[in-house]
Amino acid sequence: MLYTVNKSPIMFRNLETCLRIAPAGDPILLYEDGVYAAVAGATTDALVQEMLNQHPVYVLEADVQARGLTRLISGIEVVGYDRFVDLVVEHNVTPWM
Amino acid sequence: MKFGILVLEGPYQHEAADSAYQFAQAAIAKGHTIEGIFFYTDGVNNVNKFMKPPAERVISRRWAEFAEEHDVDMVACVAGAIYRGMTKEIATEHVRIAGLGQLAELAQKTDRLVSFGD
Amino acid sequence: MTENSEPKKVMVLMRRAPYGTFYIFEGLQTMLVMGAYELDISLAFADDGVYAVTDGQDPSALQMKPLARTFRALPDFDIDQIYIHKDSLEERGLTLDDLVVEPEVLTSEELAQVIANQDVVLPF
């Protein structure tokens, strides 16, 4: 199952509650305001590191670029919409919105 | 693969209306098929043909052209439409106003039904 | 996939509180209509979604439609796969006695397993 998260992890608990459900190994895609989780140096660093230990994590490039985010946590793969589509082909989707 | 898309938010209010479009375009570019797009709740406002944002993407026009070019069945939920005064006369061409049963059918006939919302 | 294939497994996943947004109401309408089709429908409550089915709701002063009566009637619509997330209930100080439905209580792992079996998850 692909879990997708579209909320800022500092403003909302979506990422945190997603991570207690999503089984280890299931991919997680950050998009829309969910991409703020990929920013290094925020209070959510530890949560995101924990996520990276358990899941392949992707962040949508168009949303990163739109928000001017540059300092991204390494290990998160920056992907285009084409890869988003591939992930949906490879997995069913649970939008954790 | 056959995709269906559910849009749950309105235009120029939430990125969901744009994300759904970008996803649909990317799916087509990859050679997949979009069997249908179901606009529900505030999502029905995405098909209002009278929207005229100055020097901007025109979300309803963009969807209409997408449907035309790729032969995509676009449905605005009749309940959502009645609640919001969205009528056939207001909607862009190619949009059908029909019931939630169409969403059920979309779920059944596609390989993936992907939702975009708040 | 053809239309003659097995009924798709569709979960309506409610994670929002009622009334503050319209999502729960719309999710409920979706449940009721989809339940009438040849789909294998389930309903799951997690996070603030558990507030959707607490007893004692009365939105009459807001002139909004009450939701609890419809939730109570779900078994009449042959919707009998109803799940609720244990941690979400507990962190809100709720128990099954506070609810208008009788869902199956699932741990995070159990809910993940049910989700993993779905073809479609609709978020409300």
Side-chain angles (χ1 to χ4, degrees):
Chain A
M1 186 63 73
L2 169 70
Y3 284 78
T4 61
V5 178
N6 70 338
K7 297 287 189 302
S8 159
I10 299 179
M11 188 85 161
F12 298 95
R13 287 183 68 210
N14 288 48
L15 182 61
E16 188 187 335
T17 61
C18 178
L19 290 176
R20 68 181 179 186
I21 301 293
D26 280 14
I28 294 173
L29 173 76
L30 308 169
Y31 72 117
E32 298 177 359
D33 285 348
V35 301
Y36 287 110
V39 178
T43 56
T44 42
D45 269 2
L47 180 70
V48 174
Q49 280 306 332
E50 200 180 310
M51 166 167 69
L52 281 165
N53 291 338
Q54 302 282 328
H55 305 272
V57 182
Y58 305 88
V59 63
L60 199 58
E61 186 174 22
D63 284 327
V64 167
Q65 192 184 321
R67 290 161 179 77
L69 312 183
T70 48
R71 290 175 297 125
L72 301 185
I73 294 170
S74 64
I76 299 180
E77 192 179 334
V78 181
V79 297
Y81 266 99
D82 56 337
R83 186 77 181 95
F84 186 177
V85 170
D86 289 343
L87 286 165
V88 173
V89 169
E90 292 158 17
H91 309 269
N92 283 312
V93 192
T94 295
W96 205 261
M97 55 182 55
Chain B
M1 202 171 242
K2 293 179 183 173
F3 285 91
I5 290 178
L6 171 62
V7 182
L8 292 161
E9 284 291 329
Y12 311 110
Q13 172 73 20
H14 193 291
E15 193 183 347
D18 290 279
S19 301
Y21 177 78
Q22 299 299 339
F23 182 88
Q25 282 285 14
I28 292 282
K30 286 239 139 195
H32 302 295
T33 311
I34 306 289
E35 288 285 311
I37 299 170
F38 192 85
F39 297 96
Y40 189 32
T41 65
D42 263 4
V44 302
N45 289 323
N46 286 289
V47 300
N48 184 334
K49 71 178 176 191
F50 294 112
M51 62 175 71
K52 272 197 183 144
E56 253 276 25
R57 68 206 193 284
V58 182
I59 288 179
S60 60
R61 177 57 34 208
R62 201 168 66 170
W63 278 122
E65 287 167 3
F66 180 81
E68 169 81 28
E69 190 176 345
H70 305 292
D71 193 25
V72 175
D73 184 30
M74 294 203 300
V75 177
C77 174
V78 67
I82 288 172
Y83 267 69
R84 292 163 180 82
M86 169 60 63
T87 62
K88 206 171 180 323
E89 291 68 38
I90 297 172
T92 53
E93 64 275 31
H94 309 305
V95 174
R96 295 191 294 128
I97 295 182
L100 271 167
Q102 297 295 304
L103 181 62
E105 287 183 13
L106 201 56
Q108 185 59 31
K109 74 181 180 188
T110 54
D111 300 303
R112 297 284 186 273
L113 176 56
V114 189
S115 302
F116 292 89
D118 177 42
Chain C
M1 289 282 175
T2 70
E3 293 185 48
N4 296 325
S5 57
E6 290 279 295
K8 289 288 177 66
K9 293 175 76 70
V10 179
M11 171 185 279
V12 171
L13 173 61
M14 297 190 173
R15 292 187 48 254
R16 270 171 260 249
Y19 310 113
T21 68
F22 220 50
Y23 268 79
I24 293 296
F25 178 82
E26 303 287 14
L28 196 46
Q29 302 307 309
T30 304
M31 288 289 311
L32 296 177
V33 172
M34 292 189 108
Y37 283 74
E38 288 292 307
L39 293 167
D40 184 357
I41 289 276
S42 59
L43 172 60
F45 301 98
D47 301 319
D48 277 352
V50 303
Y51 287 132
V53 282
T54 50
D55 200 6
Q57 296 175 25
D58 178 13
S60 58
L62 303 174
Q63 299 179 319
M64 288 187 189
K65 284 189 187 177
L67 299 167
R69 200 177 312 146
T70 315
F71 275 116
R72 272 199 190 94
L74 286 179
D76 300 338
F77 291 88
D78 289 330
I79 293 162
D80 43 21
Q81 299 176 77
I82 305 180
Y83 308 103
I84 199 157
H85 180 228
K86 186 169 184 284
D87 290 354
S88 300
L89 263 183
E90 287 174 358
E91 65 193 10
R92 288 164 182 78
L94 298 170
T95 70
L96 284 181
D97 293 338
D98 298 308
L99 308 182
V100 297
V101 292
E102 292 176 12
E104 189 178 337
V105 180
L106 302 181
T107 63
S108 296
E109 292 74 19
E110 290 165 342
L111 177 57
Q113 195 55 52
V114 176
I115 290 173
N117 288 331
Q118 303 302 314
D119 295 305
V120 177
V121 177
L122 299 175
F124 284 99

